[in-house]
Amino acid sequence: MTARGTGRRRAWAVVIGVGVVLALVSYLAVRFLRPATPDECTAHGPHGTTVTLDPDQASHAATIAAVAHARGLPERAVTIALATAIQESKLRNLTYGDRDSLGLFQQRPSQGWGSPAQISDPVYTSGRFFDALVKVPDYRGLPVTVAAQQVQHSGYPQAYAQHEDVAATLADVLTGREGPALSCTVSGANPTPSDAGSGAAGTASEAGDGGGVAAAVRREFGGTPAALPTTGGNSVSYPIPTDQPSTGWSLALWLVCHATELHATSVTFDGRRWSSTASDRGWTHTTPDPGRTGTLAVALG
């Protein structure tokens, strides 16, 4: 073989070797250096509408719906409250606002809404909003902007109307009427500072235990359904009447929206399961346990 032929073979070997190395580097870069899936929650409405929130916003939206459930209020009340909170705070538990306004609904201590600490509690502030809303005559039949303005007395009363479609979609989903129509992708990050010590995060223990989760559910969602007795501290179960699937899904979605705060690793109900370790897959099908039909179970890490 000539020296020229040997040189060509060596050149091709170098080219192939470099190509293999570049391919391997590219694979590793895509596999290990690609950006992580962002934490977010997506709700799918009944008419093809989609609403995407970050987990902080979703947890507050779920709390508003939960407080309405605890009080036996209709879906329309949830829509009005959500439209108001979206306009006032973008569903953030704000520590600032116009003059002394605070919280999800930008309520003012100087106007009798409560102390700054109370208004900074999403559960308390949602309850105070509903206290005022139910006193509005025929609020269910009023346009959202009119009903909200009767409570808020805002300088921009027409602003609430622009959020009605988003609020109605969230209310429809969070009240459980559409089943597993909301899912969150989570990376296991800690709760945001604005929520530390308030709402579900303040009720559940840092370790994530059944007693803390049950207490958080009672505080926000109400006493029905009541948690079943547990033998260990790493799970909680709730019996859901077979004729009330929307109640089960409302609670299941609330748990998913608060999963990071409550250290929930999975939520299982009605043959579907959401898992924090595969949260990008949403609600997957699971084989129902005949002995646990109608039971909602949340596992804790």
Side-chain angles (χ1 to χ4, degrees):
M1 181 179 294
T2 65
R4 179 178 297 178
T6 301
R8 286 177 178 173
R9 287 193 173 187
R10 288 176 178 173
W12 277 111
V14 170
V15 169
I16 293 172
V18 170
V20 170
V21 171
L22 290 176
L24 179 60
V25 170
S26 297
Y27 167 78
L28 292 174
V30 171
R31 175 67 177 82
F32 296 106
L33 301 181
R34 64 184 178 184
T37 302
D39 289 6
E40 64 180 21
C41 299
T42 303
H44 299 281
H47 305 296
T49 55
T50 300
V51 177
T52 300
L53 305 171
D54 66 34
D56 184 50
Q57 294 171 308
S59 69
H60 293 142
T63 288
I64 290 170
V67 173
H69 178 277
R71 293 166 176 247
L73 297 177
E75 187 176 315
R76 182 63 174 175
V78 180
T79 297
I80 296 168
L82 288 171
T84 304
I86 293 170
Q87 171 59 29
E88 296 290 355
S89 68
K90 294 183 173 60
L91 288 171
R92 306 284 186 194
N93 191 18
L94 299 180
T95 59
Y96 59 87
D98 178 44
R99 289 169 281 189
D100 59 337
S101 299
L102 295 168
L104 293 176
F105 295 94
Q106 289 290 279
Q107 295 162 341
R108 299 178 59 193
S110 63
Q111 299 300 308
W113 287 99
S115 70
Q118 288 174 320
I119 294 173
S120 297
D121 175 359
V123 179
Y124 173 90
T125 199
S126 298
R128 291 288 282 123
F129 179 87
F130 287 126
D131 287 342
L133 179 64
V134 297
K135 295 176 182 177
V136 177
D138 191 32
Y139 74 87
R140 282 179 282 188
L142 295 176
V144 163
T145 189
V146 175
Q149 177 62 3
Q150 290 292 310
V151 176
Q152 297 294 105
H153 306 291
S154 169
Y156 305 94
Q158 299 304 317
Y160 302 111
Q162 64 186 312
H163 306 296
E164 181 169 3
D165 289 345
V166 169
T169 296
L170 289 174
D172 184 84
V173 170
L174 290 171
T175 53
R177 199 148 56 87
E178 301 302 316
L182 178 147
S183 184
C184 298
T185 57
V186 298
S187 61
N190 292 324
T192 58
S194 67
D195 280 333
S198 66
T203 306
S205 73
E206 287 299 321
D209 63 86
V213 171
V217 171
R218 285 195 302 272
R219 183 168 187 264
E220 296 201 16
F221 202 82
T224 303
L228 291 170
T230 59
T231 56
N234 63 344
S235 66
V236 186
S237 298
Y238 292 88
I240 306 297
T242 56
D243 60 343
Q244 297 179 26
S246 62
T247 295
W249 279 114
S250 181
L251 177 55
L253 300 183
W254 180 91
L255 287 163
V256 168
C257 289
H258 288 283
T260 298
E261 305 158 57
L262 301 176
H263 304 276
T265 57
S266 71
V267 179
T268 305
F269 178 63
D270 198 22
R272 306 293 288 272
R273 175 177 292 137
W274 175 91
S275 171
S276 63
T277 57
S279 59
D280 57 332
R281 296 174 59 192
W283 289 92
T284 59
H285 290 276
T286 184
T287 303
D289 182 347
R292 297 175 66 86
T293 301
T295 299
L296 186 159
V298 53
L300 307 169

